[in-house]
Amino acid sequence: MSELHRAGGHAVILCHPDPASFNHAIARTYRDTVIAAGQRVVLRDLYAIGFDPC
């Protein structure tokens, strides 16, 4: 079991080619809000790490 799962943290999974997109803004805002609340969060941008579902 991962540390994030045991701690009850948040995982935000994103896949969008434009880092200035509305989707990215929502993901960053959510991440920042979770951190401000003293909780753990992991933000992963699948597009940025070259994820290819095919």
Side-chain angles (χ1 to χ4, degrees):
M1 185 180 299
S2 74
E3 181 178 334
L4 180 64
H5 186 263
R6 282 192 306 266
H10 302 249
V12 180
I13 312 300
L14 173 67
C15 189
H16 195 283
D18 183 3
S21 71
F22 184 62
N23 290 347
H24 275 269
I26 291 170
R28 284 190 303 268
T29 299
Y30 184 84
R31 178 202 57 205
D32 295 346
T33 302
V34 168
I35 291 170
Q39 298 178 22
R40 300 177 106 154
V41 63
V42 172
L43 174 59
R44 294 288 182 258
D45 180 356
L46 300 181
Y47 191 87
I49 62 173
F51 176 76
D52 182 4
C54 298

